[in-house]
């Protein structure tokens, strides 16, 4: 990085600590929270703009508020009220490959070290389902804590394909109901009863239905806008 900066004749070279001071030591030496690191890097970069007067209307409060904003389903933490308890903590994360799964479970252990997990998961057809299922089974106390679902998207892996190609222990998980909504509802009840953390992860394809079942209202285009968009796409496809 320093070599590149010199080659490009950069006027300055900063590290985050130069602008923000040293950060607090992580509880686990071997764990790096990349989300936290990204926020810190963004804060440092925006601080430069603020200090140099390049972004004159950018205040420290603007920066602090801005870097807290997250896209949905990226270790998104929400509390869902149920009829049997005050609430269940739910984590939505679109981890869908082995590296992302490993990081997800490392962060879960770091943030919730003594909590049992219940997992709703669906896969895409082009992923390493065997390795992903092995990682799932390593991080739950029993296969029955896993709820396997199947998206209606044509790129989604079917449950039958997953069970044929994955770890045989996955046959002990919950997969009889393939519906995302049904499995999320069942998993939420069981998580409430057993005081578990509910994690919904895997394919992007299952998230919209999972969020709808949890009662999360998503912004949607108006009907007229949606119809006009469909007409435009249709016209373009004929060209």
């Amino acid at each position: 990085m320093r070599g590149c900066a010199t080659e490009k004749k950069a006027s300055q070279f900063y590290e985050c600590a130069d602008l923000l001071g040293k950060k607090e030591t992580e509880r686990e030496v071997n764990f790096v929270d990349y989300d936290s690191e990204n926020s810190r890097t963004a804060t440092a970069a925006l601080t430069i703009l603020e200090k140099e007067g390049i972004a004159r209307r950018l205040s420290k409060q603007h920066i602090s508020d801005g870097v807290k904003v997250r896209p949905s389903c990226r270790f998104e933490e929400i509390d869902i009220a149920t009829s049997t308890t005050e609430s269940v903590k739910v984590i939505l994360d679109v981890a869908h490959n082995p590296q992302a799964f490993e990081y997800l479970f490392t962060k879960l252990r770091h943030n919730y070290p003594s909590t049992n997990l219940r997992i709703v998961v669906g896969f895409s057809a082009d992923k390493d389902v065997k390795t992903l299922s092995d990682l799932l089974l390593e991080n739950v106390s029993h296969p029955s804590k896993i709820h396997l679902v199947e998206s209606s998207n044509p790129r989604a892996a079917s449950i039958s394909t997953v069970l044929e190609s994955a770890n045989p222990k996955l046959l002990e998980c919950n997969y009889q109901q393939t519906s995302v909504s049904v499995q999320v509802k069942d998993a939420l009840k069981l998580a409430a009863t057993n005081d578990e953390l509910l994690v919904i992860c895997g394919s992007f394809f299952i998230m919209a239905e999972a969020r709808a079942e949890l009662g999360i209202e998503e912004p949607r285009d108006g009907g007229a806008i949606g119809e006009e968009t469909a007409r435009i796409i249709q016209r373009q496809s004929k060209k």
Side-chain angles (χ1 to χ4, degrees), residues 25-181:
T25 305
E26 296 280 3
R27 282 185 290 164
E28 290 183 32
V29 177
N30 294 327
F31 174 69
V32 177
D33 188 335
Y34 295 116
D35 184 60
S36 175
E37 291 286 296
N38 289 341
S39 294
R40 186 170 164 82
T41 302
T43 299
L46 292 166
T47 298
I48 294 172
L49 298 182
E50 187 262 333
K51 284 180 177 293
E52 297 291 332
I54 297 169
R56 299 177 185 226
R57 298 174 62 186
L58 187 67
S59 69
K60 287 182 172 61
Q61 189 60 49
H62 288 143
I63 296 171
S64 177
D65 292 343
V67 298
K68 291 175 184 175
V69 177
R70 294 289 181 276
S72 62
C73 302
R74 271 75 170 182
F75 208 86
E76 181 180 9
E77 302 175 81
I78 53 177
D79 294 307
I80 301 296
T82 68
S83 58
T84 57
T85 186
E86 287 187 5
S87 64
V88 171
K89 177 72 73 176
V90 180
I91 308 291
L92 297 110
D93 195 288
V94 288
H96 56 278
N97 58 48
Q99 183 180 20
F101 259 44
E102 287 177 356
Y103 176 69
L104 170 61
F105 289 118
T106 300
K107 186 166 183 174
L108 286 168
R109 287 194 300 272
H110 180 268
N111 290 11
Y112 301 95
S114 58
T115 307
N116 289 321
L117 303 180
R118 182 167 294 275
I119 299 171
V120 176
V121 61
F123 300 111
S124 297
D126 60 344
K127 302 306 176 187
D128 183 354
V129 174
K130 174 65 168 65
T131 300
L132 292 172
S133 65
D134 288 344
L135 288 168
L136 282 171
L137 291 162
E138 287 171 10
N139 285 280
V140 294
S141 57
H142 191 272
S144 62
K145 305 287 187 180
I146 299 171
H147 297 253
L148 188 61
V149 298
E150 179 181 328
S151 166
S152 59
N153 190 290
R155 291 173 55 198
S158 68
I159 286 181
S160 59
T161 300
V162 172
L163 295 175
E164 288 172 6
S165 60
N167 191 313
K169 288 185 178 180
L170 213 59
L171 289 166
E172 300 176 49
C173 78
N174 299 282
Y175 62 86
Q176 289 77 15
Q177 288 286 346
T178 62
S179 164
V180 177
S181 296

